[in-house]
Amino acid sequence: MRPLLWLLVTGGFAALNFWTVSRGEDRGQDTVYSYEVLASAVIAYGILALVVYALTTGLDRREVLALRAPASWSRALGLAVAGAVAAVLGAAALLALTNAGDEQNLAPEDWDGSRAGAYAASFLAIVVIGPLVEELLYRGAGVGLFLPFGTPAAIGVTAIVFGFGHGLLLSLPALVWFGVVTGWLRVHTRSVYPAVVAHALFNAFGMIAPLVV
């Protein structure tokens, strides 16, 4: 029943995000210059963290969530960096094909030093809190619960659900690709930590690159 519960929870989260995106106002680059990003992240990811805790109650969390150190940190970090690069390149190509642009409105167009504090708060939410909780939910609990059905199913199902979980149709192929890359990292290293690192690097690139390119 736990895989089904995971699907119900993440499916509901996806539906809520689609509804939110459909009703949301396009604020452009101002999105990351608002403390609302961090406030919303604390609430939303706090709830998702509780979901992960509830779904794994009674189980060996170290095993299910892959909360273990990789056999070799140097190799795992190298794979995480390579995975982040592959995710960025693949996502860029897919976003170009679908003409998605910055559908999530989280890439700043230029630097505004007068709102550096708000940008730092958004950076914390997007680069630290988001990757940690999302990886525990999808590559941790998701992959862990679906591994008994086979590795391809575990990676594929969680990648697709992760993609829909963002509520963005044009960016869906890029998000699913990202989910495949991080899912492979989690399974290949038998640890969720490299996936968290790759996710953080990917998001950091999206936050920083528009300011320097």
Side-chain angles (χ1 to χ4, degrees):
M1 290 298 293
R2 293 188 198 241
L4 177 59
L5 287 173
W6 183 89
L7 284 174
L8 289 174
V9 170
T10 53
F13 180 64
L16 177 62
N17 275 339
F18 271 108
W19 179 80
T20 301
V21 170
S22 69
R23 296 175 61 86
E25 178 185 354
D26 184 358
R27 297 176 57 187
Q29 70 169 45
D30 285 340
T31 302
V32 296
Y33 289 115
S34 169
Y35 287 101
E36 293 176 11
V37 175
L38 178 58
S40 298
V42 169
I43 296 172
Y45 288 123
I47 293 172
L48 291 180
L50 290 175
V51 167
V52 172
Y53 182 84
L55 283 173
T56 56
T57 297
L59 301 177
D60 183 350
R61 290 193 175 93
R62 182 174 182 272
E63 181 66 25
V64 175
L65 299 177
L67 293 172
R68 63 173 75 87
S72 169
W73 271 111
S74 59
R75 180 173 178 272
L77 290 176
L79 288 173
V81 172
V85 172
V88 167
L89 294 178
L94 291 168
L95 290 173
L97 286 174
T98 59
N99 196 29
D102 180 24
E103 192 179 14
Q104 205 168 6
N105 291 324
L106 292 178
E109 295 175 8
D110 51 49
W111 175 247
D112 184 352
S114 66
R115 294 186 286 179
Y119 177 87
S122 294
F123 194 91
L124 174 64
I126 296 168
V127 178
V128 179
I129 299 175
L132 177 59
V133 177
E134 287 186 2
E135 291 309 310
L136 287 176
L137 176 63
Y138 294 100
R139 263 62 68 177
V143 170
L145 293 174
F146 279 92
L147 270 178
F149 300 95
T151 298
I155 294 176
V157 168
T158 55
I160 292 170
V161 176
F162 171 79
F164 277 104
H166 288 73
L168 305 169
L169 283 178
L170 294 178
S171 301
L172 180 61
L175 290 165
V176 171
W177 164 248
F178 177 85
V180 169
V181 171
T182 49
W184 179 88
L185 278 172
R186 187 266 199 231
V187 171
H188 192 71
T189 63
R190 300 186 70 247
S191 171
V192 75
Y193 300 126
V196 173
V197 172
H199 198 152
L201 291 173
F202 181 90
N203 286 7
F205 178 83
M207 289 281 289
I208 297 172
L211 299 178
V212 298
V213 175

